[in-house]
Amino acid sequence: MMASSYNAKDEDGHITVSGPGGGALRSKKPENTAFKQQRLPAWQPILTAGTVLPAFFIIGLIFIPIGIGLYVTSNNIKEFEIDYTGVDMSSPCFNCSQNYSWNSTKPCTCTIPFYLEQPYEGNVYMYYGLSNFYQNHRRYVKSRDDSQLHGDMDSLLKPSKECEPYAMHDNKPIAPCGAIANSMFNDTLELFYNDPNGTKVQISLANTGIAWFTDKYVKFKNPGGDNANLTAVFQGTTKPVNWRKPVYELDKNASNNGFINEDFIVWMRTAALPTFRKLYRTIKDSKMVPTLPRGNYTLEVVYNYPVRSFEGRKRMILSTISWMGGKNPFLGIAYITVGSVCFFLGVILLVIHHKCGNRNNSTDISN
Amino acid sequence: MAFRTEQEVDSLHATIECEQPQPDLYKFVGRINIYKDKEEPVARPLGAENLLLRGATLKNTQHIYAVAVYTGMETKMALNYQSKSQKRSAVEKSMNAFLIVYLCILISKAVINTVLKYAWQWSPDRDEPWYNHRTENERQRHVVIRAFTDFLAFMVLFNYIIPVSMYVTVEMQKFLGSYFITWDEEMFDEELGEGAQVNTSDLNEELGQVEYVFTDKTGTLTENNMEFIECCVDGNVYIPHAICNGQILSAASSIDMIDSSPGGYRREHEDLFFRALCLCHTVQVKEEETVDGIKRGIHQGRPTSFYISSSPDEVALVEGMKRLGYTYLRLRDNYMEILNKDDEIERFELLHVLNFDSVRRRMSVIVKSSSGEYLLFCKGADSSIFPRVVSGKVEQVKARVEQNAVEGLRTLCVAYRRLSETEYEEVCHHLNEAKLALQDREQRLAQAYDIIERDFVLLGATAVEDRLQEKAADTIESLHKAGMKVWVLTGDKMETAAATCYASKLFRRSTQILELTKKRTEEQSLHDVLFELNRTVLRQRSISGLSVDCLDFGLIIDGATLSAVLKPNQEGAGPGNYREIFLEICRNCSAVLCCRMAPLQKAQIVKLIKASKEHPITLAIGDGANDVSMILEAHVGIGIMGKEGRQAARNSDYAIPKFKHLKKMLLVHGHYYYIRIAELVQYFFYKNVCFIFPQFLYQFFCGFSQQPLYDTAYLTLYNISFTSLPILLYSLVEQHVTMETLKREPSLYRDIAKNSLLRWPVFLYWTCLGVFDAVIFFFGAYFLFDNTTFTSNGQMFGNWTFGTLVFTVLVFTVTLKLALDTHHWTWINHFVIWGSLLFYVIFSLLWGGIIWPFLNYQRMYYVFMQMLSSGPAWLSIILLITVSLLPDVIKKVLCRAVCPSATERAQSSRPCLTVEPSTIFMLSQSSSRMSF
């Protein structure tokens, strides 16, 4: 009763009071803009069973086929892996792995025979794999000098402190410096096809095209430009301690020598996990069709790289590649699982939505 | 002896002894010893009446001579000054608690990793394999130092889990967010020409957490705009017209006579009545224009004069008389001048003023009219006048007074007594005797007054209204519905205050009133009363069981009883702790009225509730200087920019022009701020868990070597630019429910009560979600990367690509998670959310696109682009984002479907809103394109 009476009065007040100093007061009044009044037009979605349902079904319907596609593709990829570390006595490389010394001048070689049960078609990629090798160790990852590798002359002669203790040797700067470069993988792998008629055919392995294009042509550069005499350029530097030959003798091909040697570049991209593989060679212009027919093969290894001291493993992997990369059933399975889960949830939500939707409606009406 | 000149003062030789400084304003004990040449020193007592407080202003005199007794920090005002302590909001407190949890997580992570690192690298082949030697320097370091540096390195690596940027963002959010309060047009008052004011932005979200509202009555619930409503002389009612908010529009002086039956007797009483009201007061007249008056009377055209009084009621009465044609002009040379209806000036000699006091509850003046008559006029509360009346139309007046009191009007009764010459002599004698008494002066004065003020002839009664503020009742009702308990703390007397409480719907007709007043405790002991009330309350609760709301209690307590309740119990545990019982009673009352409160008692009450075992969030709102202590004490102090100066507004955390604005302040702004900041806090912890936990997991795969998973640029920019803006904007503009809904349904406020969005289960949920997402990111990427080729040209990716993949999924997931939480998509939200994702992509392209000359490493060169050139990377990014978001979506949908909260129901019923035209406009503008 009171409320109504004073409301009426106050409205009168509003009309009459506007007189004194109205203009001055007006300026203090907040602006009536949508933003300031928090009244911007807005879309106000709510996640209800009703709105989410279609999304779930759509996700399910899209993910399951993708997953199946991925899974099938992954299954069609052929991959062959062989461990040549030589841990077992029976292993051909056992001797090499036992009598290992950095200083031995005579390379130790071993031969591993294997049998491919399926022919490998198209491009075949040859990887080497290392296990228990911590390329992602912090001390290791940072132990490099990117400006040296970019061809900077100053850095060549004065390697970055990050390279310690692989920066200087015998008071000469190491080129390339750092732990990564120093520990570069230096086994030589050769592949032979044992023809059924008894001849041993060496399969030609291409050592280019294995590194990222941008790495090879932009990030890594030989000092002194493309056509410089590398021997002269690297004068005054010394090879990494563990290397057998200096960096300018990595390859005879001038465009794959020095810092832009692709094996070197591949190694310099540190792996994410302690078990990793790196691309070693590609088999593209094999004279045979298919690229690697089924049959007996021999892998000849020049065993230089010691891994047994840290219980590592060395592997050689042959793999074909599809549009989605190498063999990896995980992605396909994951897609199928997520797709089915979504679909399943969609069904559950449909049920719930149906039940609760009715209940809500009834309560609304009763209110 | 008087000292009128400086020389005279100079001749005084005296010492003053006084007590140690103490904060009680109304107490002072001292003694002045006056030395005269060789006589014995004369000692005079000094009391509170001899003391001028700091900041006092002189009236009626140009200057006085005084001695400074206390100075600086020892003055009573300084001792009373309550330092404005830093107020911290509940959100901030839980934020700090969460932070400590995260700090523990951080330290334990670092410790675990350090321990594992040394366990793992026990064998030297792991510690230092041939390919990865330490430098000579490092090798020589002691193992303890090495372990310690490792620990520190882990701390540095994981430190991002402590969201430092959160504090910056929270501050920004609070600072910028508080502008919305100042900008609010609805909280702008045309009359004052002012809108809401934000004095601190620290407490925005606390506005959404209020459980107890302590409000002042006069000036807060009411307008403190006393208005003379009517007077009644012998049962005839007179109502002056032309009132508008207490200002007189014209000098109109018409009298409405409801019962017009003029007669000699009536005429005489009428004249006496009006003269009584014109004479019986302590109002002063100020003629200047620039006066910090409490009350102004503006005469357009005429020289302005103001009435000033410590009591606004008196001013209202004198002004009311003016409107009825009797203008009190001035007091000159002890003669009071009145301009009567016929524009003649009447002069009365003022002989004595018997001042008002709260025990007698009346005041009187004795005047001598020009015709030589001695008249005693008295006005006072009905209860103190009626027993002393011997004649007059008591019944009619009484009826009218009661009717007015029920309507919440302040009533006063007016009576007079004619004194003969001898009687006057006697009165003078009594008064002088009492006034000159050195001992028990107060008591003797009271006795004298008692003798003088009797045998009255009743003239009539007045009614003054202190109008309720606009929409006060509606506001209080909303606050009640929002689950807040409203307490009215006032210095007024109980009846008036109770009437206001009824009018403002604080008490409803159904409310059962519990009284805890002096009147009652005089009959029974406080102990008994308390226990009885407690029993009543408890019985009610046990009977009603679940439906507590069926009958609510209202408690009325007065200042005297309160201080008795709060008095520390010296008898130990004997009769039990009154404080607890009192709190128990209060807890069960939906409304409490505390009347006759001293300012400090107001603060005490607030403190009491604050310290009770639930630690509720309190809000105090008031307009006057007497509310400052409670405003400072409460968690949130709100000042009304009132008529009694700016002191409350200045000391408050927020100032609003009117009480009604409290509704929007709490229900809309408070609610919004709370959900915004709650999401902000939780989201920040979440996104940093997502960010850092993969790094933690990565340590298990990199030999605990502190290798970061992400590039430095990503580590730095994650919190600064990739994920900061969307949440900042969310925390500024999110509206999970429309303003209209919040205002219409105050009960939604209960959904966020008790810091519900920042409680430990919710925090745990967010953290678990963060850990889950982090595990998905990391192991998803791990299994995809594990020992396989990712590209269609057989080339391999390195650790930086791995990190970038995880980071990309992370940034997208975290941003999309916020997008899923956003209920209010304005164009700015779209811009910021999609913009920040785009920024991330562009930044990454740029960052990896160039060999940066100033960097000594080029690890990110082309990493992002190479990743994007690989099909499986795209597929896995999409997959991982989907999986990470899935649980949260399911949780949301299920919760909404199975047990929707009130808020969620309000959200779903949003389409019903389209009835309102403004909403139609909003929806049609926005949803036509975007809704699905």
Side-chain angles (χ1 to χ4, degrees):
Chain A
M1 177 211 102
M2 289 210 64
S4 60
S5 68
Y6 63 68
N7 272 350
K9 265 188 189 171
D10 214 79
E11 269 158 35
D12 294 342
H14 274 294
I15 300 160
T16 43
V17 149
S18 56
L25 301 181
R26 221 30 48 90
S27 61
K28 256 189 145 183
K29 185 172 178 161
E31 279 172 67
N32 184 14
T33 58
F35 175 70
K36 288 188 173 181
Q37 300 306 321
Q38 306 195 57
R39 290 192 189 281
L40 281 176
W43 171 52
Q44 299 170 317
I46 337 163
L47 286 180
T48 59
T51 47
V52 170
L53 262 176
F56 273 26
F57 282 122
I58 290 168
I59 290 175
L61 286 178
I62 294 175
F63 274 29
I64 293 174
I66 292 180
I68 293 170
L70 286 170
Y71 189 71
V72 170
T73 319
S74 171
N75 270 358
N76 285 339
I77 290 170
K78 299 180 184 75
E79 194 175 280
F80 176 82
E81 194 172 310
I82 188 165
D83 187 320
Y84 69 92
T85 322
V87 184
D88 298 332
M89 296 276 278
S90 56
S91 165
C93 293
F94 179 71
N95 276 339
C96 286
S97 73
Q98 283 301 97
N99 312 327
Y100 174 74
S101 146
W102 281 113
N103 301 326
S104 62
T105 43
K106 198 173 155 241
C108 175
T109 55
C110 48
T111 316
I112 302 123
F114 63 92
Y115 179 73
L116 285 185
E117 288 171 359
Q118 286 171 309
Y120 282 40
E121 280 145 6
N123 290 346
V124 179
Y125 296 82
M126 186 182 188
Y127 296 89
Y128 59 86
L130 293 175
S131 301
N132 213 9
F133 189 100
Y134 283 83
Q135 249 204 330
N136 55 6
H137 196 282
R138 186 169 65 100
R139 203 162 59 223
Y140 187 82
V141 169
K142 66 171 188 174
S143 182
R144 64 193 286 161
D145 185 344
D146 276 341
S147 42
Q148 188 189 52
L149 299 175
H150 193 54
D152 186 71
M153 284 305 278
D154 295 336
S155 303
L156 182 70
L157 298 174
K158 225 176 140 222
S160 151
K161 267 187 76 180
E162 303 285 351
C163 286
E164 295 284 352
Y166 303 97
M168 304 292 276
H169 183 65
D170 294 337
N171 287 328
K172 276 185 182 172
I174 297 177
C177 75
I180 312 177
N182 183 55
S183 60
M184 182 177 154
F185 182 76
N186 58 358
D187 281 1
T188 313
L189 308 174
E190 281 179 325
L191 199 58
F192 295 91
Y193 174 56
N194 300 334
D195 218 349
N197 54 25
T199 50
K200 199 171 168 187
V201 184
Q202 179 168 16
I203 292 160
S204 71
L205 305 170
N207 64 352
T208 52
I210 57 176
W212 291 13
F213 182 86
T214 48
D215 280 0
K216 169 140 180 146
Y217 293 101
V218 186
K219 192 172 164 184
F220 287 78
K221 276 201 173 95
N222 276 324
D226 292 338
N227 303 318
N229 182 354
L230 288 184
T231 322
V233 169
F234 282 104
Q235 202 70 49
T237 64
T238 183
K239 70 178 176 58
V241 190
N242 289 352
W243 285 23
R244 284 165 198 279
K245 45 193 177 187
V247 66
Y248 46 86
E249 285 172 23
L250 284 175
D251 198 355
K252 291 178 187 72
N253 180 356
S255 67
N256 191 28
N257 201 6
F259 290 156
I260 54 169
N261 177 273
E262 292 199 22
D263 284 328
F264 175 67
I265 295 172
V266 165
W267 181 255
M268 290 305 286
R269 182 155 296 279
T270 48
L273 299 163
T275 298
F276 59 90
R277 60 169 79 168
K278 283 183 184 291
L279 186 53
Y280 184 64
R281 294 289 180 264
T282 56
I283 309 169
K284 283 178 181 165
D285 47 352
S286 148
K287 277 133 204 135
M288 297 178 291
V289 175
T291 323
L292 294 178
R294 67 182 263 196
N296 286 308
Y297 289 83
T298 321
L299 175 69
E300 279 195 18
V301 181
V302 181
Y303 200 108
N304 292 324
Y305 205 71
V307 292
R308 294 203 57 191
S309 64
F310 53 87
E311 288 160 8
R313 284 281 194 284
K314 294 196 284 190
R315 289 161 297 145
M316 189 282 300
I317 302 122
L318 289 172
S319 169
T320 58
I321 292 286
S322 73
W323 62 272
M324 56 148 288
K327 198 177 188 74
N328 186 6
F330 174 78
L331 194 58
I333 293 171
Y335 258 94
I336 294 171
T337 320
V338 173
S340 341
V341 166
C342 279
F343 204 83
F344 179 64
L345 284 169
V347 174
I348 291 180
L349 285 178
L350 192 66
V351 175
I352 291 175
H353 180 54
H354 215 71
K355 278 189 177 172
C356 293
N358 289 343
R359 200 181 61 193
N360 283 352
N361 285 345
S362 61
T363 52
D364 282 350
I365 291 161
S366 68
N367 286 342
Chain B
M1 51 182 175
F3 298 96
R4 291 224 169 71
T5 63
E6 280 163 44
Q7 284 77 27
E8 280 169 344
V9 174
D10 211 30
S11 69
L12 176 68
H13 273 268
T15 56
I16 292 177
E17 292 167 47
C18 61
E19 59 180 348
Q20 289 294 311
Q22 60 141 320
D24 193 331
L25 294 182
Y26 306 109
K27 228 183 229 168
F28 177 70
V29 180
R31 188 163 60 171
I32 185 164
N33 298 315
I34 301 163
Y35 301 98
K36 280 183 187 164
D37 297 330
K38 271 159 198 170
E39 296 166 39
E40 276 289 294
V42 183
R44 288 285 166 88
L46 296 174
E49 68 273 10
N50 301 101
L51 193 71
L52 274 180
L53 298 177
R54 182 176 129 183
T57 44
L58 295 179
K59 260 188 196 171
N60 302 335
T61 176
Q62 288 300 308
H63 59 272
I64 54 165
Y65 295 105
V67 178
V69 186
Y70 303 122
T71 55
M73 289 313 288
E74 290 187 337
T75 58
K76 286 188 181 288
M77 292 318 273
L79 289 172
N80 257 287
Y81 177 73
Q82 201 166 2
S83 63
K84 204 172 184 179
S85 59
Q86 185 71 37
K87 289 183 182 177
R88 284 196 310 153
S89 71
V91 168
E92 223 167 303
K93 279 173 202 154
S94 35
M95 215 161 91
N96 291 342
F98 297 161
L99 205 70
I100 288 169
V101 172
Y102 270 65
L103 200 68
C104 294
I105 294 178
L106 167 67
I107 291 172
S108 54
K109 267 186 181 176
V111 169
I112 288 171
N113 267 336
T114 316
V115 170
L116 285 176
K117 180 188 172 97
Y118 281 86
W120 182 79
Q121 61 185 29
W122 193 250
S123 83
D125 287 331
R126 283 215 184 120
D127 184 19
E128 264 187 285
W130 61 262
Y131 56 84
N132 193 8
H133 283 301
R134 284 205 173 79
T135 57
E136 207 52 45
N137 274 342
E138 279 174 54
R139 232 175 267 174
Q140 275 159 4
R141 243 174 251 157
H142 193 270
V143 69
V144 176
I145 297 174
R146 248 194 284 168
F148 185 66
T149 40
D150 275 327
F151 172 74
L152 290 183
F154 279 120
M155 292 285 277
V156 170
L157 187 67
F158 301 142
N159 80 79
Y160 297 91
I161 201 171
I162 302 293
V164 180
S165 56
M166 178 175 78
Y167 279 85
V168 182
T169 315
V170 163
E171 286 308 314
M172 264 162 78
Q173 188 265 351
K174 286 182 169 180
F175 175 69
L176 297 175
S178 58
Y179 276 104
F180 284 117
I181 292 181
T182 20
W183 282 338
D184 196 325
E185 206 189 16
E186 282 173 43
M187 301 215 282
F188 180 80
D189 191 69
E190 299 275 355
E191 265 174 66
L192 278 172
E194 261 174 294
Q197 246 178 42
V198 179
N199 295 333
T200 170
S201 53
D202 279 351
L203 299 168
N204 292 345
E205 68 276 5
E206 203 84 334
L207 293 172
Q209 289 295 305
V210 176
E211 288 160 79
Y212 281 84
V213 174
F214 297 94
T215 163
D216 176 42
K217 189 183 80 76
T218 316
T220 307
L221 279 180
T222 62
E223 291 199 326
N224 195 16
N225 199 345
M226 301 297 167
E227 191 173 298
F228 181 74
I229 293 297
E230 58 161 54
C231 56
C232 129
V233 183
D234 290 346
N236 303 318
V237 179
Y238 297 75
I239 300 172
H241 292 203
I243 313 155
C244 183
N245 285 341
Q247 293 177 8
I248 301 154
L249 290 179
S250 66
S253 56
S254 55
I255 299 173
D256 266 15
M257 297 184 188
I258 285 172
D259 176 18
S260 53
S261 55
Y265 172 73
R266 199 186 111 80
R267 179 76 200 173
E268 187 201 343
H269 268 196
E270 192 190 298
D271 284 350
L272 275 170
F273 179 81
F274 291 134
R275 297 213 162 83
L277 285 179
C278 283
L279 298 172
C280 181
H281 55 71
T282 53
V283 170
Q284 308 201 349
V285 183
K286 278 256 172 177
E287 310 257 340
E288 301 108 288
E289 199 159 348
T290 53
V291 131
D292 310 0
I294 295 160
K295 190 80 185 180
R296 302 171 296 164
I298 301 169
H299 305 246
Q300 271 121 13
R302 282 201 237 158
T304 49
S305 64
F306 305 93
Y307 293 133
I308 301 171
S309 168
S310 54
S311 149
D313 297 66
E314 285 196 326
V315 179
L317 286 175
V318 175
E319 275 188 349
M321 285 306 107
K322 194 183 210 167
R323 286 207 298 276
L324 287 170
Y326 290 85
T327 312
Y328 171 61
L329 290 178
R330 63 194 71 89
L331 175 71
R332 185 187 284 164
D333 301 330
N334 240 13
Y335 277 92
M336 288 175 113
E337 295 179 2
I338 297 175
L339 189 69
N340 73 5
K341 248 179 11 197
D342 310 325
D343 268 344
E344 294 159 8
I345 291 179
E346 296 176 15
R347 285 161 60 93
F348 293 89
E349 191 184 355
L350 181 61
L351 300 170
H352 289 286
V353 176
L354 283 60
N355 270 324
F356 178 86
D357 69 64
S358 52
V359 180
R360 268 164 60 236
R361 296 165 82 192
R362 57 179 181 265
M363 74 162 288
S364 309
V365 288
I366 300 173
V367 293
K368 187 182 174 190
S369 70
S370 43
S371 58
E373 265 183 310
Y374 292 100
L375 290 165
L376 184 146
F377 291 113
C378 179
K379 73 166 191 236
D382 45 1
S383 56
S384 63
I385 298 279
F386 284 132
R388 298 167 176 274
V389 169
V390 287
S391 69
K393 294 185 174 171
V394 179
E395 286 311 312
Q396 287 100 316
V397 174
K398 208 174 209 169
R400 190 70 202 169
V401 163
E402 265 160 27
Q403 191 190 332
N404 284 337
V406 168
E407 282 178 23
L409 302 176
R410 298 156 161 263
T411 55
L412 284 175
C413 291
V414 181
Y416 85 107
R417 178 183 168 198
R418 226 176 274 270
L419 301 171
S420 63
E421 190 79 40
T422 47
E423 277 173 319
Y424 174 67
E425 291 299 325
E426 201 180 322
V427 163
C428 280
H429 173 70
H430 279 301
L431 282 177
N432 287 337
E433 198 169 87
K435 274 181 186 163
L436 288 178
L438 273 179
Q439 284 171 343
D440 301 330
R441 192 186 292 165
E442 295 284 302
Q443 214 176 324
R444 295 183 66 166
L445 264 177
Q447 279 168 2
Y449 290 165
D450 197 50
I451 296 165
I452 299 163
E453 289 169 327
R454 64 189 160 82
D455 303 335
F456 286 143
V457 177
L458 186 65
L459 287 171
T462 59
V464 171
E465 187 185 20
D466 187 8
R467 289 197 307 175
L468 273 187
Q469 282 206 5
E470 197 191 344
K471 289 183 185 162
D474 170 57
T475 308
I476 290 212
E477 211 172 4
S478 305
L479 298 184
H480 265 304
K481 276 190 198 150
M484 283 173 247
K485 293 189 171 165
V486 183
W487 290 41
V488 174
L489 312 181
T490 177
D492 282 359
K493 59 179 182 287
M494 190 185 131
E495 292 78 11
T496 322
T500 313
C501 287
Y502 275 111
S504 58
K505 293 192 183 162
L506 186 71
F507 295 153
R508 260 157 272 150
R509 292 294 155 205
S510 62
T511 310
Q512 188 181 340
I513 303 290
L514 309 172
E515 272 187 38
L516 197 58
T517 51
K518 210 176 162 193
K519 228 191 316 178
R520 236 188 122 176
T521 48
E522 272 163 7
E523 293 158 17
Q524 279 171 290
S525 78
L526 175 66
H527 182 255
D528 292 345
V529 176
L530 274 173
F531 273 88
E532 194 188 312
L533 291 182
N534 197 20
R535 259 201 310 280
T536 323
V537 170
L538 288 179
R539 195 187 317 131
Q540 177 60 35
R541 202 170 52 173
S542 61
I543 293 167
S544 56
L546 291 169
S547 53
V548 191
D549 290 330
C550 71
L551 194 124
D552 51 2
F553 290 103
L555 178 74
I556 300 181
I557 183 168
D558 61 7
T561 322
L562 185 77
S563 55
V565 168
L566 296 185
K567 202 162 56 190
N569 199 350
Q570 273 117 10
E571 296 147 52
N577 204 340
Y578 294 154
R579 212 178 264 251
E580 281 307 309
I581 302 166
F582 175 65
L583 281 174
E584 184 62 38
I585 298 170
C586 293
R587 224 170 273 144
N588 290 299
C589 293
S590 60
V592 177
L593 165 65
C594 305
C595 38
R596 288 260 165 258
M597 302 283 279
L600 252 154
Q601 270 184 316
K602 293 187 177 183
Q604 266 176 0
I605 283 253
V606 176
K607 204 174 204 163
L608 178 76
I609 296 298
K610 242 171 95 177
S612 71
K613 65 173 183 276
E614 296 99 346
H615 297 289
I617 309 290
T618 55
L619 177 145
I621 177 166
D623 72 322
N626 59 344
D627 305 315
V628 170
S629 60
M630 104 177 151
I631 285 173
L632 291 176
E633 182 61 47
H635 290 101
V636 188
I638 295 196
I640 303 254
M641 303 169 189
K643 307 206 158 55
E644 294 186 17
R646 291 245 144 198
Q647 212 162 341
R650 244 183 291 129
N651 282 291
S652 62
D653 304 311
Y654 300 90
I656 49 177
K658 286 274 154 63
F659 184 72
K660 64 172 175 178
H661 297 132
L662 190 65
K663 181 177 172 184
K664 189 169 188 195
M665 193 87 168
L666 296 184
L667 298 186
V668 179
H669 287 294
H671 198 135
Y672 279 158
Y673 284 128
Y674 180 72
I675 57 135
R676 286 168 186 172
I677 200 133
E679 171 89 8
L680 173 71
V681 170
Q682 299 282 22
Y683 179 77
F684 251 98
F685 282 112
Y686 159 80
K687 85 181 166 98
N688 282 294
V689 172
C690 285
F691 180 43
I692 285 309
F693 207 72
Q695 289 229 91
F696 172 72
L697 293 172
Y698 191 52
Q699 297 312 305
F700 289 82
F701 298 91
C702 71
F704 305 100
S705 60
Q706 302 108 22
Q707 169 63 22
L709 184 55
Y710 318 114
D711 180 49
T712 327
Y714 287 160
L715 279 174
T716 320
L717 293 179
Y718 175 73
N719 273 324
I720 297 173
S721 38
F722 297 147
T723 59
S724 62
L725 275 183
I727 182 64
L728 179 64
L729 189 83
Y730 175 98
S731 66
L732 287 175
V733 305
E734 167 70 354
Q735 296 176 20
H736 62 311
V737 189
T738 57
M739 281 192 217
E740 285 72 24
T741 316
L742 282 179
K743 269 194 267 181
R744 206 181 43 231
E745 289 176 41
S747 56
L748 293 181
Y749 195 81
R750 289 168 193 250
D751 270 16
I752 56 162
K754 293 265 168 214
N755 210 359
S756 66
L757 297 179
L758 286 174
R759 272 192 248 150
W760 289 106
V762 187
F763 171 71
L764 203 67
Y765 169 74
W766 278 87
T767 305
C768 288
L769 192 68
V771 171
F772 171 81
D773 284 358
V775 168
I776 292 290
F777 302 155
F778 183 79
F779 285 105
Y782 175 83
F783 283 114
L784 293 166
F785 250 75
D786 188 28
N787 213 6
T788 187
T789 317
F790 231 47
T791 54
S792 51
N793 60 7
Q795 292 168 359
M796 297 301 294
F797 287 155
N799 64 322
W800 298 115
T801 314
F802 182 73
T804 307
L805 180 76
V806 173
F807 193 78
T808 308
V809 178
L810 166 74
V811 169
F812 273 79
T813 306
V814 159
T815 311
L816 290 177
K817 156 83 181 138
L818 188 70
L820 284 175
D821 285 350
T822 306
H823 294 106
H824 190 79
W825 285 82
T826 63
W827 65 268
I828 318 176
N829 289 82
H830 284 286
F831 179 77
V832 168
I833 286 186
W834 310 127
S836 81
L837 289 180
L838 194 68
F839 173 75
Y840 165 68
V841 173
I842 290 171
F843 173 84
S844 299
L845 290 174
L846 200 70
W847 184 238
I850 301 173
I851 296 271
W852 292 94
F854 55 87
L855 289 178
N856 56 1
Y857 56 84
Q858 306 296 340
R859 51 172 88 133
M860 292 309 287
Y861 185 66
Y862 254 72
V863 162
F864 191 70
M865 272 159 273
Q866 282 283 347
M867 187 184 78
L868 291 190
S869 69
S870 126
W874 282 86
L875 286 173
S876 49
I877 288 171
I878 293 168
L879 177 82
L880 294 180
I881 293 173
T882 313
V883 175
S884 313
L885 293 175
L886 207 56
D888 194 49
V889 173
I890 293 166
K891 180 239 165 198
K892 278 196 182 125
V893 172
L894 283 185
C895 282
R896 182 181 288 279
V898 177
C899 50
S901 67
T903 311
E904 282 166 339
R905 274 206 209 103
Q907 286 172 339
S908 328
S909 64
R910 194 176 282 151
C912 310
L913 265 179
T914 48
V915 187
E916 289 173 44
S918 62
T919 328
I920 290 180
F921 167 73
M922 277 163 57
L923 290 179
S924 64
Q925 271 214 333
S926 51
S927 59
S928 54
R929 260 183 312 121
M930 299 176 241
S931 60
F932 29 71

